Every structure is written in structure tokens, then in C-alpha cells.
Amino acid sequence: MPDDNARESAHEETEAEPLPPSDAVAAALLDAFAGSVFNDSHGQPVVYVDRASWHDVALHLRDEQQFTMCLDVTVVDHLLDGVRFCPPGVAPERFEVVANFISHSRNRRIRVICEVPAAEPTVSTLADVYPGMNFGEREAYDMFGIVFEGHPDLTRILMPDDWNGYPLRKDFPPARVPVTFKGDPSPR
């Protein structure tokens, strides 16, 4: 049953102040990188950083904060999002590049996000700081078309080399497209 007392004005966006960091690592990132924004996501600290400082943030986490592992890197395409959460102080772009870091010695996790515009879908590689990101960045490039500048071998990893476009971008209407993946012995 709908709420008869609900008003549209209750859903209007208001300009709120950014949250103060409740995490020491997030506070250190905010101090070290101007323009960074903290957000708490279900108890996990999340820091939105400028795209230009993406690589430096990873270096800082590894060298200054003892974050010895980057667990993964992925991309989110917000092209078709009708409603999107974006904390105050973050200018939303079409793509978000997301990386999750962990420090076993400190028993801590932190998620770092940078906004990437569709007109210039590039961000620095983390593969030189965290070698395990080599294949994750290749997959993000292959599926979303985000170019990781400085990557040692940014080539397709899943799609055939002659495939045009990026299958996880929301540029095309949903449909069943027959795809032959790289190395597939029996094309369908």
C-alpha cells in the first residue's frame, strides 16, 4: 500500500557535507590526496580519488600503509542507471574504476574508486605496483574498453582480437549475440 503522506520533495537531492573518515587509512588518504572523498559502504571504508592520483594512491597504500595486496580491479558502467548514489563532493562520470586493497598485517580492507569519463576512458595501470593486477586490468580493458596507461601488455584476454567494441559496455540493446571466445575449439 503506498504511503499517502509521501511527498516528492522528500526525494529531492540535497547538498550534504562529505562524511568525516571513520577509518585511519581513509583519513591518511584524504590528507595525502586533496579532493579525495570518504564514504562508508556497509562498514567498509571507500575513498573516491581523482583519476590523476590513481597510481600514487596505490603506491601510498603499499609503501606507507602496508597494504600488500590489491585483490581486484573492475569497472562499473553507469550509462543506463536511472538512479545512482554518488557521495557529496564526487563528480559522477560514466565509468568508475574500482580496486579493493587488503593489509594482512593490519587486518584492514579499503576500496578505492576513481571516476573515468567516457570521452577519455584512461587511467594509470596498477600492474607495476601490484603485479597481480596484470590480468584484471586486461579483462577490464577487454570488456569495458578502459585503457590502463603504462600496462605492460594491454591486449584482449577473452574476446577475439578482431572483435569490435566492448561487450560489457551498455552501448547496445540486450540481445543474444553469438560470440566465439579466444581459443574456443568449437565455435557455435
Side-chain angles (χ1 to χ4, degrees):
M1 179 167 154
D3 184 2
D4 293 332
N5 296 325
R7 300 283 181 259
E8 283 299 316
S9 62
H11 301 286
E12 291 176 3
E13 291 185 26
T14 58
E15 190 65 32
E17 291 294 316
L19 291 173
S22 59
D23 178 80
V25 176
L29 285 178
L30 267 58
D31 288 341
F33 300 96
S36 297
V37 175
F38 170 76
N39 186 51
D40 182 273
S41 177
H42 306 285
Q44 181 179 14
V46 178
V47 178
Y48 288 78
V49 300
D50 185 59
R51 180 171 58 132
S53 61
W54 179 253
H55 187 266
D56 295 334
V57 168
L59 280 172
H60 180 83
L61 285 171
R62 184 192 70 185
D63 298 342
E64 305 295 327
Q65 299 295 327
Q66 302 166 347
F67 278 75
T68 55
M69 290 180 67
C70 182
L71 298 175
D72 63 358
V73 63
T74 191
V75 177
V76 179
D77 183 356
H78 290 286
L79 179 66
L80 300 178
D81 289 354
V83 176
R84 173 181 176 189
F85 170 76
C86 211
V90 175
E93 294 286 353
R94 176 178 173 178
F95 298 107
E96 287 182 337
V97 177
V98 183
N100 290 292
F101 299 88
I102 190 166
S103 172
H104 290 293
S105 62
R106 296 179 71 179
N107 194 25
R108 305 293 282 276
R109 289 175 167 259
I110 192 164
R111 183 180 317 141
V112 179
I113 300 173
C114 76
E115 301 291 320
V116 177
E120 188 185 350
T122 62
V123 68
S124 295
T125 185
L126 300 183
D128 61 329
V129 182
Y130 295 99
M133 292 302 92
N134 186 326
F135 291 104
E137 288 180 353
R138 283 180 64 192
E139 182 179 353
Y141 164 72
D142 196 9
M143 298 287 109
F144 290 96
I146 302 296
V147 175
F148 291 88
E149 293 178 335
H151 191 281
D153 184 27
L154 196 60
T155 56
R156 290 206 181 262
I157 192 170
L158 296 170
M159 302 305 293
D161 292 331
D162 61 348
W163 180 269
N164 291 324
Y166 305 99
L168 293 185
R169 280 192 179 187
K170 298 175 181 174
D171 294 330
F172 305 103
R176 186 174 186 328
V177 178
V179 175
T180 303
F181 287 96
K182 217 174 205 179
D184 186 1
S186 58
R188 293 177 180 88

